Amino acid sequence: MAVALKYFQPIKGAKTDFNRAPIRQAIADAIMRTEHCPFGPAMKRARDLTDSAVETLVGTKRETATRGEVQNAVKQAMWNIGAYELAEEYLLYGAGVELVERGLIRADQFTVDGVPRTEVSRVYKWNEEHDCHTIEGLNAWFGGRERDARELIRAAEAQKHVELENAAQEFLGRTGLRMLIVCGPSSSGKTTTANRICGTINDITRGKTTFRPLEVDMFFQPKTSNQRHAYVIDGKEVSDWDYETPFAYGLEALNEVLERIMRGEVVWIPKYDFGTGQIIPNHTEFQALGPNEVLVFDCLHGLYPDLTSAVPNEQKFKLYIEAMNTIHDGERYTRWTDVRLIRRMLRDVATRGQDTLLTLVHWYLVRKGEGSMFPLINTADVRINGGLAYELPIFKMHAERFFRKYLGIFERQSDKQLGDALLRAKRVCALFDKLETATAGQIAQIPPDSIMREFIGGSVYFPKFQYGALDRY
C-alpha cells in the first residue's frame, strides 16, 4: 500500500504541507507560454498533468517530495503524452524561479525565456544588413548564383573580431581582476572564445597581462554521484549520466583550490578519468598565479555563484557567450539549441569518442542543466554572440547524414524516453531540407581561429582535430 504524500521540501526552508495548486499553476503557465493557450483550457490540461505527476510521486512510497522530484515527475507526465517542448519550457522556467527563491538572483534579473534581447537585436540587425537573416538570403550566398559565400564568411569573421576587441576593452576597463570567467550554454564556442580574448588582451597590453587556464572539468564528482538515465534502443539498454548541472562538480574541493590559487599558493589539481568516472587526486601541479596573471575559468555554469564562491565578485570578469543564430526559415526562427546540438554532436564524436546517437538522446539533459544558467545571463559583465551567420550550410554538409540515419531509428522505437530526440531530429532534418550545402572550396575560406573550426576541425586551438576527421564517422 502506498504511503500518502504529505509534505513538500523546497530548496531552502522548512518543509510544508504538500499542495497541488502551485504545481498546477506552474504547468498552466508553461502551457500558455509555449502554446499561447487560453487560461481555461490550459488549467484543465494542467490539472490532468498534475494528477499524473502526483500519482508517480505517491508510487515512491515516501511522505515528502523535493522540488527536484516534483519537476521530474511533471516532466515524465508531459513526456508520456508526447509534450516534449512543453516539458522543456516547464523545466527551464522552474529552474529560474528556483534561483530567485534561493536569493541567487533578483526577480528583475530573471530572463524568463533565456534571451538577451539587446544582443539578439544587434545580431539580427547585422544579419539583415548582410541579407542572411532568412534561409532564402543565406542560400543566395551559398548557391553560387547571386553572391560569393567567401564574402559573407570574411564579413562574419571580421564582426567576431570586433566583438572580441570590445569585450577585451571592457575587461581592461576594470581594476583588480584575478579571474576571467567564460561561460555559456553547451557548444556556444567558449573554448575558442576564451583563447581569442586572452590573446587579444595580451596583445593590447603588450604581454603585461597573461592568462592561466584552469581545467574545470577535472573537478567533476565521481560518475556514480550523478543521476543515471537509461534508454532502450533497438532492444538494448543504453546508460547515460547527467553531468550537465552545476552540482556535478565537487563544489567544496573546487572552491578550496580557487581560494588557495587566489592566495598565490601552488596547488595540486585532481584528474577526472572520463573512462572510469573516477577521480585521481593530486594529479597535476598548478604553479602559483603571478601578479600579472589572470585565472581563466571556462565553464558552462561559470555564472552559477556556488561554483566560484571563494573568489570575491569584484575580482571576477564574467563573459557570457551564446550561439545566437537569428535566421528565419520561412515559418519561424531557427532554434539556437538545434544549432548547438549539431555543433556538439560533431565535436564530441571527433574529440571525445562520443557516439553521435547518444549526444542526441542526451540533449534533453543539456537543456535541463541550462535552466540553472539562463536566468543568470543578466549577471554577466559582457554578452557576445558565438553564432556565425554562415554556419548552417556547412553543418548540413557534415551533420545531415547522422540526423537522417537516427530519424529512421527513432521512428521505430517504442520507448517514450526517445520522443524528445525524435522531435529534435525531425526539426533539424526539416531545416536541412531548406538549406543549400556548402562546398569544400567555401569551407576552406574559414580561418583557423574561427569558432566554426572548433566543431568541424582545422582549428589552431585543437590541433588533434584536423579538418576531414569527421569523414571517418
Side-chain angles (χ1 to χ4, degrees):
M1 181 176 177
V3 177
L5 189 60
K6 295 181 179 179
Y7 306 109
F8 172 72
Q9 178 66 62
I11 296 294
K12 295 179 71 175
K15 61 185 179 182
T16 59
D17 291 339
F18 189 83
N19 184 357
R20 297 184 186 216
I23 304 174
R24 281 197 303 268
Q25 188 61 58
I27 295 173
D29 289 344
I31 293 171
M32 289 187 285
R33 284 194 305 273
T34 305
E35 304 174 12
H36 308 290
C37 180
F39 174 78
M43 187 56 76
K44 183 178 184 303
R45 286 180 60 197
R47 187 177 297 111
D48 293 340
L49 286 165
T50 301
D51 290 346
S52 178
V54 171
E55 184 178 339
T56 299
L57 292 167
V58 169
T60 64
K61 299 183 179 181
R62 293 172 55 191
E63 290 187 337
T64 303
T66 66
R67 178 184 292 280
E69 289 167 339
V70 169
Q71 289 177 338
N72 283 333
V74 171
K75 184 267 294 183
Q76 191 60 53
M78 292 175 175
W79 276 27
N80 288 341
I81 62 170
Y84 300 101
E85 291 184 332
L86 176 61
E88 182 174 311
E89 169 64 24
Y90 167 79
L91 291 172
L92 290 175
Y93 183 78
V97 171
E98 187 176 301
L99 290 173
V100 173
E101 290 179 352
R102 292 185 61 192
L104 295 178
I105 56 171
R106 303 189 309 271
D108 63 323
Q109 290 179 311
F110 176 21
T111 306
V112 172
D113 54 5
V115 177
R117 302 204 175 277
T118 301
E119 288 73 25
V120 170
S121 297
R122 186 170 64 241
V123 171
Y124 186 79
K125 181 180 178 182
W126 190 95
N127 287 359
E128 194 173 33
E129 289 171 351
H130 292 79
D131 198 14
C132 58
H133 60 298
T134 64
I135 295 295
E136 182 181 7
L138 186 59
N139 283 341
W141 283 102
F142 280 87
R145 297 183 298 273
E146 303 169 38
R147 303 187 181 95
D148 187 342
R150 292 175 297 182
E151 295 179 14
L152 180 62
I153 291 171
R154 282 193 289 267
E157 293 295 341
Q159 172 62 15
K160 197 63 57 191
H161 179 75
V162 170
E163 283 190 86
L164 291 170
E165 285 272 354
N166 291 340
Q169 293 296 345
E170 290 275 353
F171 177 92
L172 292 170
R174 294 261 301 272
T175 58
L177 294 174
R178 303 297 312 282
M179 176 185 280
L180 168 63
I181 296 174
V182 181
C183 56
S186 178
S187 302
S188 286
K190 293 185 291 295
T191 303
T192 297
T193 299
N195 278 285
R196 287 185 63 177
I197 195 169
C198 290
T200 300
I201 294 170
N202 186 263
D203 289 344
I204 292 173
T205 62
R206 299 181 183 274
K208 293 180 180 177
T209 303
T210 56
F211 295 87
R212 297 267 305 284
L214 179 70
E215 199 168 355
V216 185
D217 285 358
M218 293 300 103
F219 291 88
F220 275 132
Q221 296 191 77
K223 180 168 67 175
T224 52
S225 299
N226 300 319
Q227 188 174 7
R228 178 183 176 271
H229 298 261
Y231 325 103
V232 178
I233 303 175
D234 285 343
K236 298 179 181 178
E237 185 174 271
V238 178
S239 293
D240 191 12
W241 300 87
D242 186 3
Y243 285 88
E244 306 298 339
T245 83
F247 303 105
Y249 295 94
L251 299 180
E252 185 176 342
L254 174 57
N255 276 286
E256 180 184 347
V257 165
L258 288 176
E259 184 176 18
R260 292 180 60 195
I261 289 174
M262 291 299 116
R263 289 203 302 258
E265 297 181 19
V266 176
V267 296
W268 284 86
I269 306 298
K271 178 180 179 180
Y272 187 80
D273 187 326
F274 285 92
T276 64
Q278 297 298 312
I279 299 169
I280 304 172
N282 301 325
H283 183 271
T284 307
E285 187 178 30
F286 190 92
Q287 291 295 323
L289 205 63
N292 294 319
E293 290 184 322
V294 175
L295 187 70
V296 180
F297 195 88
D298 171 3
C299 178
L300 185 150
H301 289 291
L303 291 179
Y304 201 80
D306 291 352
L307 239 68
T308 59
S309 59
V311 183
N313 204 49
E314 61 272 14
Q315 294 182 7
K316 295 184 277 196
F317 185 87
K318 305 167 192 171
L319 186 151
Y320 176 85
I321 180 169
E322 162 69 292
M324 302 179 226
N325 207 335
T326 52
I327 296 175
H328 204 279
D329 69 1
E331 299 176 11
R332 61 183 301 168
Y333 289 100
T334 55
R335 289 174 174 259
W336 302 344
T337 179
D338 290 344
V339 177
R340 293 190 290 101
L341 167 60
I342 297 167
R343 287 177 166 202
R344 178 154 164 174
M345 181 181 284
L346 295 177
R347 182 197 63 195
D348 284 5
V349 71
T351 64
R352 300 178 181 178
Q354 172 77 37
D355 190 290
T356 52
L357 177 62
L358 187 55
T359 301
L360 182 53
V361 298
H362 176 83
W363 196 251
Y364 84 94
L365 289 174
V366 174
R367 292 295 287 162
K368 181 182 177 183
E370 288 170 356
S372 298
M373 172 189 54
F374 286 140
L376 296 163
I377 289 173
N378 287 328
T379 66
D381 297 293
V382 172
R383 291 167 290 276
I384 66 175
N385 177 27
L388 289 156
Y390 64 80
E391 64 187 309
L392 292 178
I394 291 153
F395 286 142
K396 179 178 180 180
M397 177 183 178
H398 290 291
E400 184 174 22
R401 66 186 189 276
F402 296 119
F403 284 94
R404 297 289 180 201
K405 176 181 179 180
Y406 298 147
L407 189 59
I409 291 175
F410 291 134
E411 284 177 337
R412 65 175 183 261
Q413 306 301 315
S414 59
D415 189 346
K416 292 183 183 298
Q417 304 296 319
L418 301 174
D420 180 78
L422 173 60
L423 178 68
R424 296 182 193 281
K426 284 182 175 178
R427 209 162 54 206
V428 172
C429 285
L431 175 61
F432 284 153
D433 284 340
K434 300 174 183 179
L435 284 164
E436 294 280 354
T437 305
T439 66
Q442 291 164 342
I443 294 173
Q445 303 303 310
I446 303 172
D449 65 348
S450 172
I451 286 173
M452 272 297 293
R453 291 291 180 186
E454 184 175 332
F455 305 103
I456 64 171
S459 171
V460 68
Y461 306 116
F462 301 89
K464 293 183 179 180
F465 181 13
Q466 293 297 315
Y467 185 72
L470 288 168
D471 296 340
R472 299 197 299 268
Y473 301 98

